[in-house]
């Protein structure tokens, strides 16, 4: 009977950024919102299938809030596998403070019922990257604030 096992070999961070949200003093008693960040990791997995060794690479993006930085197990973060992102859905833009209020409902983690988008917004205004995650027959749209939207967009598109 063929056996299949997988074990992580290595993980490297290919992109990382961290922002202290302007509202951090307001959430003093909720330390999980002290810092916002994005971490893109690439993990090489060795898979053994019927005595054949092959290596695959998985890229993931983790974004959200944390006391020091976002972590994959944080309650205020989300991790998406890049292979689940539709490359044609990746767009960049820049929002004003007024657009953040009207489109997103403010700052922090927000859900917009009109366009069904999860927004992770740590800045008063500024650049962002939007993308759609397709997983398990369900599509979810995200807007994440980033200091380098073109770099993040290129990673999400697989460029």
């Amino acid at each position: 009977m063929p056996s299949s096992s997988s074990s992580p070999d290595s993980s490297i961070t290919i992109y990382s950024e961290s922002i202290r949200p302007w509202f951090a003093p307001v959430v003093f008693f909720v330390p999980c919102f002290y810092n916002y960040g994005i971490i893109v990791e690439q993990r090489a997995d060795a898979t053994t299938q019927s005595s054949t060794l092959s290596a695959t690479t998985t890229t993931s993006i983790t974004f959200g809030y944390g006391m020091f930085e976002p972590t994959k197990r944080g309650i205020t973060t989300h991790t998406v596998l890049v292979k689940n992102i539709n490359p044609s859905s990746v767009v960049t833009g820049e929002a004003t403070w007024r657009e953040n209020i009207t489109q997103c409902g403010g700052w922090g983690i927000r859900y917009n019922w009109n366009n069904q988008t999860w927004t992770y917004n740590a800045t008063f205004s500024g650049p962002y990257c939007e993308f759609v995650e397709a997983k398990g027959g369900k599509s979810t749209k995200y807007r994440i604030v980033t200091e380098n939207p073109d770099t993040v967009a290129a990673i999400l598109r697989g460029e």
Side-chain angles (χ1 to χ4, degrees):
M1 179 173 194
S3 65
S4 176
S5 65
S6 179
S7 64
D9 285 339
S10 65
S11 175
I12 60 168
T13 300
I14 58 174
Y15 179 81
S16 177
E17 72 176 68
S18 183
I19 303 170
R20 173 73 43 107
W22 67 269
F23 55 80
V26 177
V27 294
F28 176 75
F29 294 107
V30 190
C32 61
F33 286 100
Y34 283 177
N35 286 298
Y36 170 83
I38 298 172
I39 301 170
V40 180
E41 290 182 328
Q42 200 167 48
R43 179 177 303 279
D45 297 322
T47 306
T48 317
Q49 183 95 16
S50 300
S51 303
T52 305
L53 183 66
S54 64
T56 59
T57 305
T58 304
T59 305
S60 65
I61 179 169
T62 300
F63 49 90
Y65 297 87
M67 187 165 183
F68 302 107
E69 66 180 17
T71 62
K72 288 188 179 186
R73 294 186 181 101
I75 60 170
T76 56
T77 61
H78 185 69
T79 300
V80 175
L81 295 177
V82 172
K83 69 180 181 181
N84 293 337
I85 296 173
N86 179 353
S88 65
S89 73
V90 179
V91 296
T92 61
E94 185 146 345
T96 64
W97 67 271
R98 185 176 306 239
E99 290 169 334
N100 282 332
I101 293 288
T102 59
Q103 293 175 8
C104 308
W107 298 272
I109 302 171
R110 302 290 182 163
Y111 185 75
N112 182 328
W113 291 98
N114 293 331
N115 63 11
Q116 314 208 327
T117 303
W118 280 101
T119 302
Y120 286 71
N121 190 0
T123 60
F124 195 66
S125 62
Y128 63 84
C129 184
E130 282 185 354
F131 60 90
V132 175
E133 174 191 26
K135 183 178 171 185
K138 180 181 163 192
S139 293
T140 307
K141 186 175 180 183
Y142 295 95
R143 176 187 280 193
I144 58 173
V145 167
T146 176
E147 294 173 331
N148 302 301
D150 294 330
T151 301
V152 173
I155 292 169
L156 297 181
R157 289 186 193 116
E159 298 173 355

